[in-house]
Amino acid sequence: MDRLSPPITVTVLTVSDRCSRGETTDTSGPGLQDICRDQLGATVIGTRCVPDEPADITEAIRNWALQGVCGGQHARVKPDLIITTGGTGLAPRDVTPEATASVLERRHPALLELARLRCYQITPRTFLSRGECGTLARSLIINLPGSVRGSSETLGAILDILPHAIETLRGDVQDDGRTDVTPTTGRVIQHHDKGGA
Amino acid sequence: MDRLSPPITVTVLTVSDRCSRGETTDTSGPGLQDICRDQLGATVIGTRCVPDEPADITEAIRNWALQGVCGGQHARVKPDLIITTGGTGLAPRDVTPEATASVLERRHPALLELARLRCYQITPRTFLSRGECGTLARSLIINLPGSVRGSSETLGAILDILPHAIETLRGDVQDDGRTDVTPTTGRVIQHHDKGGA
Amino acid sequence: MDRLSPPITVTVLTVSDRCSRGETTDTSGPGLQDICRDQLGATVIGTRCVPDEPADITEAIRNWALQGVCGGQHARVKPDLIITTGGTGLAPRDVTPEATASVLERRHPALLELARLRCYQITPRTFLSRGECGTLARSLIINLPGSVRGSSETLGAILDILPHAIETLRGDVQDDGRTDVTPTTGRVIQHHDKGGA
């Protein structure tokens, strides 16, 4: 797995009525944090748990993407990646995808399409998750299912391309297959031409 | 195939200018009814045929999902599943997906993505169908192609996961992989953790 | 490859800040033109290059789809197919999908889903392209990546079903699997029942 420098910054949002009321313990969120740290070399800069309410979900995502997280010494750090877990199914209270879609500036459904394609070999039930994916400011937001297995398998399925996606979103790479030197900075822009975006 | 109790209730909407004018006989709709009865153990509680007009399509879907169907003795039954057939392609009058999307509360494109993935082995033309999928109130709405073959193959491709999807939409199952007892009812909520949504 | 009569008409829009400023040479656009001519027997009736600005992108697409291209002798020809290349990734200036979506009358995401499924064997990076697909008037609009490789591989992956898609969009074929004779013209309408849309 490519590791970015500076490391990828991540926040994890657990969306669950019962976790937010303290009726059960969130294990999916901590599991996702571990995967990000261990397999992406990422820094987890914030976590929250909110009920299955659109206003709570959108407020958490907007706050992280637009204001960032207090990083000490008055510095604020913004997450490259905002992961949510929970509320992506068809249960009557599942509204995470709708809340997320309402704050996205740019949608990127193909990223979770890849996850489903790869998770299909484990279970066709991966297609029951309605998760959205896209960007707000410089953050990539990904909705994962609420179950420990579903969330970790889905994230695991796209770990290999996340670093490149985030590098591009940061503006460090251009993927248009054209080569030049930025006139204003003289800095050589990296160009990839690997058949991707 | 899992059979739900009570049985899945289904309505079938045929969208076709020519069928609605009596210029041709609808064979796709009846074929889909048979599949639902025979393979899902479902009860077909209503059928209609409308022309390729957005207002007719949305009115039919809204009426079924929000008002239900008269079930005798003044009881009204709502469909768990609303299937449409026709109007999903690129022909100039094909507007079923747009009409459907306009009434959905929650989109679920991945369900038809699974259908396409599985039907691909039969024909890549399955990717020419633009069908939408999602929910309005407690009904799951699925747009199928208009041809007998296309509609039955597409429905057939997702029959295995429809019961679980509908169980979740009814609110009978939670898929967040967390276990608890609902305080208000004392009823043990079923929890699955099979890597799905 | 089926060849349509009259031949498919195509316009190609290159979306690139640097190409539009003359800082680099567009090779993707000309490559796509070659593919359309050689493999679809298409006629390229127009090309343009615009910066990564939503207003420029939407103006170009709208103009081609609604006004057409001057075909000599005061005739105007409209493109069956409008291909864009560039601006589909996650880079901060990539806005082609959003601009395109804003002018589409009918979306057709499954067409690029098929492209991703087929290009996956070449590289999973094909899932980093956020391209939209759909129709405006009688034009099919497809967003391709900006790189020479990515754009040609993505287009190449759906060449086999493009003629049928365009035939349907022209109104020459109905895909509802029902057979009749149009009363007004007496012309027998071609009907296909190959399990597609």
Side-chain angles (χ1 to χ4, degrees):
Chain A
M1 203 71 62
D2 291 346
R3 300 209 163 193
L4 299 193
S5 174
I8 294 170
T9 51
V10 180
T11 59
V12 179
L13 180 68
T14 299
V15 181
S16 165
D17 284 335
R18 286 178 302 127
C19 288
S20 70
R21 290 192 298 255
E23 290 167 25
T24 188
T25 306
D26 176 27
T27 46
S28 298
L32 296 170
Q33 292 178 46
D34 287 346
I35 293 172
C36 289
R37 282 191 203 98
D38 297 347
Q39 299 189 46
L40 288 176
T43 309
V44 178
I45 60 172
T47 64
R48 274 186 71 182
C49 180
V50 295
D52 291 277
E53 292 291 343
D56 292 304
I57 299 165
T58 56
E59 191 273 336
I61 294 173
R62 269 210 184 99
N63 200 265
W64 277 335
L66 302 178
Q67 311 297 329
V69 173
C70 191
Q73 304 228 339
H74 309 296
R76 296 192 75 83
V77 185
K78 288 183 184 173
D80 293 307
L81 182 63
I82 298 176
I83 293 172
T84 74
T85 171
T88 65
L90 286 169
R93 298 269 300 158
D94 287 343
V95 294
T96 305
E98 285 66 41
T100 301
S102 77
V103 299
L104 293 180
E105 287 170 341
R106 300 185 297 172
R107 296 183 67 235
H108 191 162
L111 211 55
L112 285 172
E113 188 184 304
L114 174 61
R116 288 186 290 270
L117 186 63
R118 286 171 163 176
C119 289
Y120 179 50
Q121 275 132 50
I122 309 175
T123 173
R125 290 202 178 182
T126 188
F127 285 88
L128 290 174
S129 185
R130 306 182 302 108
E132 286 275 349
C133 179
T135 68
L136 172 60
R138 295 288 173 102
S139 297
L140 179 66
I141 299 139
I142 302 177
N143 292 157
L144 301 177
S147 74
V148 174
R149 266 194 64 178
S151 60
S152 61
E153 284 169 359
T154 307
L155 180 60
I158 50 174
L159 282 178
D160 60 333
I161 65 167
L162 276 182
H164 185 66
I166 288 166
E167 218 175 357
T168 308
L169 184 56
R170 284 179 175 176
D172 295 342
V173 177
Q174 288 186 314
D175 249 353
D176 65 357
R178 301 171 184 112
T179 309
D180 69 353
V181 174
T182 306
T184 49
T185 67
R187 184 163 68 99
V188 175
I189 302 280
Q190 267 185 274
H191 289 286
H192 295 197
D193 191 359
K194 301 189 181 166
Chain B
M1 204 70 64
D2 292 347
R3 300 210 162 191
L4 298 193
S5 172
I8 294 170
T9 50
V10 180
T11 58
V12 179
L13 180 67
T14 299
V15 181
S16 165
D17 283 336
R18 286 179 300 128
C19 287
S20 71
R21 289 192 298 253
E23 291 167 24
T24 188
T25 306
D26 177 26
T27 47
S28 299
L32 297 170
Q33 293 179 46
D34 287 345
I35 294 173
C36 289
R37 282 192 204 98
D38 298 347
Q39 299 189 45
L40 288 175
T43 308
V44 178
I45 60 172
T47 64
R48 273 186 72 182
C49 180
V50 296
D52 292 277
E53 292 291 343
D56 292 304
I57 299 165
T58 56
E59 190 275 336
I61 295 173
R62 270 211 183 99
N63 201 264
W64 277 334
L66 302 178
Q67 312 297 330
V69 173
C70 191
Q73 304 228 337
H74 308 298
R76 294 192 75 82
V77 185
K78 288 184 184 171
D80 293 309
L81 182 62
I82 298 175
I83 293 173
T84 75
T85 172
T88 64
L90 285 169
R93 297 268 301 156
D94 288 342
V95 293
T96 305
E98 285 63 42
T100 302
S102 76
V103 299
L104 293 180
E105 287 169 341
R106 301 185 297 172
R107 295 183 68 235
H108 191 161
L111 212 55
L112 283 173
E113 188 185 305
L114 176 60
R116 289 185 291 268
L117 186 62
R118 286 172 164 175
C119 290
Y120 179 50
Q121 274 131 50
I122 309 174
T123 172
R125 291 202 177 182
T126 189
F127 286 88
L128 290 175
S129 184
R130 307 182 300 106
E132 285 276 347
C133 178
T135 68
L136 173 60
R138 294 290 173 99
S139 296
L140 179 65
I141 299 137
I142 302 178
N143 292 157
L144 300 177
S147 74
V148 174
R149 266 194 64 178
S151 60
S152 61
E153 285 170 358
T154 307
L155 180 59
I158 51 174
L159 282 178
D160 60 332
I161 65 166
L162 276 182
H164 185 67
I166 287 166
E167 218 176 357
T168 308
L169 184 56
R170 283 178 175 177
D172 295 342
V173 177
Q174 289 187 314
D175 250 352
D176 65 356
R178 300 171 184 113
T179 308
D180 69 353
V181 174
T182 308
T184 49
T185 66
R187 186 162 67 99
V188 176
I189 303 279
Q190 268 184 273
H191 289 287
H192 295 195
D193 190 359
K194 301 189 180 164
Chain C
M1 204 70 64
D2 292 347
R3 301 211 162 190
L4 299 193
S5 173
I8 295 170
T9 50
V10 180
T11 58
V12 179
L13 180 67
T14 299
V15 181
S16 165
D17 283 335
R18 286 177 303 125
C19 287
S20 70
R21 288 192 299 254
E23 291 167 25
T24 188
T25 306
D26 176 27
T27 47
S28 299
L32 296 171
Q33 293 178 46
D34 288 345
I35 293 173
C36 289
R37 281 191 205 99
D38 299 345
Q39 299 189 43
L40 288 175
T43 308
V44 178
I45 60 171
T47 64
R48 273 187 71 181
C49 180
V50 295
D52 293 275
E53 292 290 344
D56 293 305
I57 299 165
T58 56
E59 191 273 336
I61 295 174
R62 270 212 184 98
N63 201 264
W64 277 333
L66 302 178
Q67 312 297 329
V69 173
C70 191
Q73 304 228 335
H74 308 297
R76 294 192 76 82
V77 184
K78 288 185 184 172
D80 293 308
L81 181 62
I82 298 175
I83 293 172
T84 74
T85 172
T88 65
L90 286 168
R93 297 268 302 158
D94 287 343
V95 294
T96 305
E98 285 64 41
T100 302
S102 76
V103 299
L104 293 181
E105 287 170 339
R106 301 185 297 172
R107 296 182 67 233
H108 191 161
L111 211 55
L112 284 172
E113 189 184 303
L114 175 61
R116 289 185 290 268
L117 186 62
R118 286 171 163 176
C119 289
Y120 180 50
Q121 273 131 51
I122 309 174
T123 172
R125 290 200 177 183
T126 188
F127 286 88
L128 289 175
S129 184
R130 306 181 302 106
E132 286 275 348
C133 178
T135 68
L136 173 59
R138 295 288 173 99
S139 297
L140 179 66
I141 299 138
I142 302 178
N143 292 156
L144 301 177
S147 75
V148 174
R149 266 195 63 178
S151 60
S152 60
E153 285 169 359
T154 306
L155 180 60
I158 51 174
L159 281 179
D160 59 334
I161 63 168
L162 276 182
H164 185 67
I166 287 165
E167 219 176 355
T168 309
L169 183 56
R170 284 178 174 178
D172 295 341
V173 177
Q174 289 187 315
D175 249 351
D176 64 358
R178 301 173 184 112
T179 308
D180 69 354
V181 174
T182 307
T184 49
T185 66
R187 185 163 66 100
V188 175
I189 302 279
Q190 268 184 275
H191 288 288
H192 295 196
D193 191 359
K194 301 189 180 165

